Amino acid sequence: MKSLFGENLRYDLKASLVVFLVALPLCLGIAIASGAPPISGLIAGIVGGIVIGSFSKSHVSVSGPAAGLTVIVLDSISSLGTFELFLGALVVAGLIQFSLGLAKAGILGYYFPHSVIKGMLTAIGLILILKQIPHALGYDKDYLGDLAFKQMDDQNTFTEIYNAFLYNNPGAIPVVLVALGILIFFERPRIKSHRILGVVPGALWAVVSGIVINALYSKIKPEWELVDEHLVTIPDLDSFSELPSLLTFPDFGLIADPAFWIVAVTLAVIGSIETLLSIEAGDKMDPYKRITPASKELVAQGVGNTLSGLIGGLPITAVIVRTSANIASGARTKLSAIFHGILLMVLVLSIPELLNQIPLSCLAAVLFLVGYKLAKPSIFVHEYEKGINQFLPFIFTVIAILFTDLLVGIGIGMIVGLFFVIKTNFQKAILVTELNGNYLVKLQKDVSFLNKAPLMRELAQIPPGSNVILNGSKARFIDHDIQEVLNDFISSAHTKDISITIEGYSYQLREAL
């Protein structure tokens, strides 16, 4: 294991730096949108990186505060009355999640269809691109990590873009263009593999360029300078010694109240679902195709959420945006996730003044590139080539997530996917072929009551005077409702002058017939 980490260390360090740059504004923005202290988002990011990263068996996933939980957190703090009571519920949620992992509940994660997971990743990529357009134009009214279509300020994704074009900040545009140029340059294989230029990731150079350009504005074009809401804003932390005073501790005073348990169970269940989705998606993107033990991941998340609640952090899940950035930046082991947590802890305390000079438009460029890698046009072509049964669940998931949010969109994608699974099962369970008035009705695999309607339809279309072979030699199970349909067809066959031959049915069905 040591040799593995040593061999991959330089890749993981580079990736961790990119993930840190993506995670920093997301942690702060999600905390503010959740109605929680900004420091709570940073605590969750640190715990997600260091603690969950250490316990997790995933090689590439990154955990931290999730944008998908902002509304739940906001409502929960309001319903319980204080942030401290919410933290108490989060501690209990972490213990529930830990128990779910021990009970092997993570197996549910293996039942998400590939087309739906692929649709989720593509939708996230498109959302990242759309959501970064306002930040790229210097319209920073919404927080950087928002992924929902309808926003907290009663705007939506498209009205926000429209407003951004109307009320853009001209100083942001050169910053994002230069940053994008640098990122694209560093994506070239010759540059990435260069022994000198390839050492530092392009994202860091892009961020440095943004800070330098904005500093030049203050000298040569002050009206273009990006300040206040256009920059990363880290809470005032002077030293490591002050950190304990910034922690908030949980209150369990309402533990006997049903409302307390509703919040705890909701956080545990929704957090677990989002984690399982992100883990499955991360494994799909992993170039080495390693599989994460889902139940063990729930145990790790339970440990992380319990600790986060104990010291004043937000709920944590495995998060797809940071995971995508991690994989796209070349991460090879979970050390990249752990290092990003260490960077959050150390750099936020040691150089907050410098970090507070990073323009959000510069970070938008980094997320543009992550989004493009998730939603390249070739992905749509590839999914279309798989056939309609795969493409429709994929595209429905993409559209649903774009116009709702992650969990609702996944639910819609699952329903569409289930429809095609049932449709395919109908087609495979009953096979009807015809040659010169001779019909073969073949029952295959398990024939359940779900196949009753298509079987009745097929039998009703057989014309009078036909010869019919009913073959069930490959059917492992024939439901009673199916037997009744066959019995009715056989008993009425003489009225249509239909000749029937029975092959391969079990003794029980022969007796019934």
Side-chain angles (χ1 to χ4, degrees):
M1 189 62 71
K2 287 183 180 179
S3 62
L4 178 65
F5 283 163
E7 179 185 331
N8 297 313
L9 187 60
R10 66 189 181 98
Y11 299 100
D12 292 330
L13 282 172
K14 286 173 62 178
S16 69
L17 187 55
V18 176
V19 178
F20 161 75
L21 293 172
V22 171
L24 178 62
L26 296 186
C27 290
L28 294 166
I30 290 168
I32 294 168
S34 301
I39 190 66
S40 66
L42 293 174
I43 290 171
I46 292 166
V47 172
I50 299 174
V51 178
I52 295 180
S54 299
F55 280 92
S56 174
K57 301 299 180 183
S58 173
H59 297 274
V60 292
S61 76
V62 180
S63 296
L69 294 177
T70 51
V71 175
I72 294 173
V73 174
L74 187 65
D75 291 344
S76 298
I77 295 173
S78 176
S79 65
L80 293 177
T82 69
F83 183 59
E84 289 79 5
L85 285 168
F86 170 77
L87 292 177
L90 178 56
V91 172
V92 175
L95 295 174
I96 293 172
Q97 206 170 26
F98 183 85
S99 302
L100 289 173
L102 293 181
K104 307 298 182 186
I107 193 173
L108 296 174
Y110 299 131
Y111 292 95
F112 296 118
H114 171 82
S115 57
V116 173
I117 296 297
K118 198 69 178 177
M120 179 189 78
L121 289 171
T122 305
I124 293 293
L126 291 173
I127 289 171
L128 282 176
I129 293 170
L130 293 172
K131 288 289 188 178
Q132 299 322 302
I133 292 174
H135 297 293
L137 296 173
Y139 187 76
D140 299 301
K141 300 298 182 184
D142 195 30
Y143 73 97
L144 195 67
D146 184 20
L147 298 179
F149 178 71
K150 188 169 178 59
Q151 298 173 181
M152 309 287 285
D153 56 1
D154 292 329
Q155 299 291 326
N156 63 50
T157 301
F158 297 113
T159 59
E160 192 83 356
I161 294 173
Y162 175 75
N163 287 333
F165 278 100
L166 290 180
Y167 307 108
N168 68 82
N169 187 319
I173 298 172
V175 170
V176 74
L177 291 177
V178 171
L180 272 175
I182 291 172
L183 289 167
I184 293 169
F185 175 77
F186 275 86
E187 279 296 304
R188 298 170 62 187
R190 288 181 61 185
I191 302 301
K192 291 175 75 171
S193 59
H194 195 278
R195 63 187 184 90
I196 297 175
L197 293 176
V199 172
V200 179
L204 180 59
W205 292 118
V207 167
V208 170
S209 74
I211 294 173
V212 170
I213 292 172
N214 200 38
L216 289 174
Y217 286 158
S218 65
K219 305 294 184 185
I220 61 175
K221 204 169 183 61
E223 65 272 22
W224 278 21
E225 186 179 3
L226 302 171
V227 296
D228 300 330
E229 66 182 15
H230 305 301
L231 304 175
V232 171
T233 306
I234 297 173
D236 187 17
L237 303 174
D238 292 332
S239 67
F240 283 92
S241 62
E242 288 190 8
L243 189 58
S245 66
L246 297 169
L247 303 181
T248 305
F249 302 103
D251 179 357
F252 297 97
L254 291 181
I255 197 167
D257 192 316
F260 183 94
W261 285 92
I262 289 173
V263 170
V265 172
T266 301
L267 290 174
V269 172
I270 301 300
S272 296
I273 292 172
E274 191 154 340
T275 288
L276 293 175
L277 286 167
S278 297
I279 286 294
E280 179 77 8
D283 288 347
K284 292 274 189 262
M285 291 186 290
D286 182 4
Y288 299 101
K289 301 304 176 189
R290 294 164 290 191
I291 304 299
T292 301
S295 294
K296 290 183 178 179
E297 184 63 28
L298 291 185
V299 170
Q301 295 290 331
V303 171
N305 275 305
T306 301
L307 178 59
S308 186
L310 286 172
I311 61 176
L314 290 178
I316 303 169
T317 72
V319 278
I320 195 61
V321 174
R322 275 153 275 184
T323 298
S324 304
N326 193 37
I327 296 169
S329 303
R332 295 192 175 184
T333 76
K334 64 180 184 177
L335 279 185
S336 59
I338 297 172
F339 286 150
H340 115 274
I342 294 172
L343 287 172
L344 275 174
M345 182 174 65
V346 173
L347 297 185
V348 163
L349 290 170
S350 59
I351 54 169
E353 297 86 359
L354 180 60
L355 296 177
N356 281 335
Q357 296 177 38
I358 300 175
L360 294 183
S361 57
C362 185
L363 295 176
V366 177
L367 290 171
F368 271 139
L369 195 62
V370 173
Y372 176 76
K373 289 180 178 180
L374 289 173
K376 290 185 288 190
S378 60
I379 292 172
F380 289 86
V381 174
H382 182 65
E383 292 300 312
Y384 180 76
E385 290 173 346
K386 291 180 179 179
I388 202 73
N389 288 357
Q390 290 293 312
F391 182 71
L392 280 183
F394 163 80
I395 202 68
F396 267 95
T397 303
V398 171
I399 294 171
I401 292 176
L402 276 176
F403 288 97
T404 57
D405 59 34
L406 180 63
L407 293 178
V408 173
I410 285 291
I412 293 172
M414 290 288 287
I415 291 170
V416 175
L418 181 62
F419 169 79
F420 280 99
V421 167
I422 294 172
K423 179 175 178 290
T424 302
N425 186 61
F426 283 166
Q427 294 172 340
K428 290 184 177 179
I430 300 172
L431 176 67
V432 179
T433 55
E434 184 268 341
L435 179 63
N436 299 326
N438 297 302
Y439 286 80
L440 172 63
V441 179
K442 196 168 186 177
L443 308 183
Q444 306 184 97
K445 302 193 309 175
D446 298 333
V447 192
S448 72
F449 71 94
L450 296 173
N451 304 108
K452 182 177 178 179
L455 176 61
M456 292 176 67
R457 184 174 63 249
E458 293 288 355
L459 294 178
Q461 292 175 356
I462 296 176
S466 302
N467 297 314
V468 179
I469 299 175
L470 299 178
N471 185 293
S473 58
K474 291 193 176 180
R476 296 175 299 181
F477 167 77
I478 301 176
D479 188 85
H480 179 75
D481 285 0
I482 300 299
Q483 294 182 29
E484 287 294 327
V485 171
L486 293 173
N487 289 343
D488 292 343
F489 177 70
I490 292 169
S491 63
S492 63
H494 68 279
T495 63
K496 295 184 177 181
D497 194 27
I498 294 176
S499 171
I500 295 179
T501 303
I502 301 170
E503 297 179 351
Y505 287 135
S506 66
Y507 175 78
Q508 182 180 3
L509 186 57
R510 284 176 188 272
E511 190 177 64
L513 296 175

